[in-house]
Structure formats: structure tokens, C-alpha cells
Amino acid sequence: MDYSTFLNNDPLLRAGLTAAAVIFVDLCALVILIAASRERRHGDRRWAQESRGLMLVCGDTAYPLGAAEIVIGRHPSADIRFRDSEISRFHAILTLSGGSWQIEDLSGNGVTVNGKRIEAPCILRRNDVIGIGRRKLTVMRGKKG
């Protein structure tokens, strides 16, 4: 049996099947959106626990540590960007591994932690002060919200 001929001869059936297909696709999309929303809330809680709720504070500006890798520099694609000629385009990178944040100098121009220049990746703790160029960023606990 040729279904296309059957459907062409009955426009009401064709419209009904089309409407049913659209409703089915809409329901599938709704289920996906609900599942994604639940997963995002669960992921946000998991991320807050993993990242330990830390942020960097420079003056009046707070930078939440909201990714597993955060690049600090002058380049437009840097996650934390400073327009300062003493800061390299890609000056430093923060990474989260095993529940600990660490910082690494990508520039060779120098990164300090608590006033001491780092030569290798350095684990960060709350209240550590990171020096990049003339900027001082303090590692702080973020507000729960």
C-alpha cells in the first residue's frame, strides 16, 4: 500500500497526523527542557561544592571562579581581563583539580602569591593574595546565594 497516495487523498487525516507529530515533538522538547533544568540545578550545587565557593576580589570587583579553568590577562578572550600594559595577554591560569585551585604563570613576567614569586603551579587558599602586574587579587569565599 502506498501511504503517500492515501494521505494525499485525505487532507483531514494528513492535517491530523501533522498536528499529532508537532504535539509529540513539543512534548519531547518540554521533557528535555525540564530534565536540563533539573540537571543544571544539580550541577550548580555540585560545582559550588567542588569549587569551594571561592572568588577573586580586586578592589571593588569580585570575580567568581565559575569554570574549571580561568585565564587572567590582557587579551579580549581572557576570563578575567585587565587593560594594563604590565600584564601579558595570557598572564596566568587558574585551574581546579581535586577540589583545590591552583595558579600558574603563563607569561614569565611573574605572578606572586602572598608576595613570593611562583616558579611552578601553586595551590591557592582562602585569603591568599595574588599579584599580577600592579593588580592584587585576594582569594575569598563567595556569598551563599
Side-chain angles (χ1 to χ4, degrees):
M1 174 184 242
D2 184 12
Y3 291 110
S4 60
T5 305
F6 180 69
L7 290 174
N8 287 336
N9 291 337
D10 192 347
L12 188 59
L13 178 62
R14 185 176 61 218
L17 289 174
T18 301
V22 168
I23 291 170
F24 176 75
V25 169
D26 286 347
L27 286 173
C28 289
L30 181 62
V31 168
I32 290 169
L33 288 173
I34 291 169
S37 175
R38 290 183 69 209
E39 179 61 27
R40 178 168 183 175
R41 283 192 307 271
H42 177 70
D44 288 348
R45 286 191 303 269
R46 194 173 56 232
W47 176 257
Q49 183 179 13
E50 176 75 15
S51 69
R52 298 179 19 216
L54 297 179
M55 64 173 59
L56 297 180
V57 177
C58 182
D60 293 335
T61 307
Y63 302 97
L65 302 181
E69 293 185 346
I70 298 171
V71 175
I72 303 172
R74 200 177 68 233
H75 194 272
S77 68
D79 301 301
I80 298 176
R81 183 177 177 207
F82 296 114
R83 297 175 191 225
D84 187 338
S85 61
E86 292 182 11
I87 296 176
S88 299
R89 290 178 296 142
F90 302 104
H91 200 101
I93 187 167
L94 294 164
T95 54
L96 178 64
S97 178
S100 296
W101 284 99
Q102 64 180 12
I103 188 165
E104 182 177 356
D105 184 2
L106 298 176
S107 68
N109 291 333
V111 171
T112 62
V113 174
N114 300 324
K116 296 180 182 176
R117 185 173 176 153
I118 62 170
E119 301 296 329
C122 176
I123 293 177
L124 297 172
R125 291 173 181 74
R126 204 165 85 190
N127 298 321
D128 281 351
V129 177
I130 301 166
I132 296 178
R134 290 180 288 201
R135 308 288 177 145
K136 302 292 182 207
L137 298 108
T138 304
V139 180
M140 301 185 79
R141 171 104 34 217
K143 292 180 183 176
K144 291 182 181 180

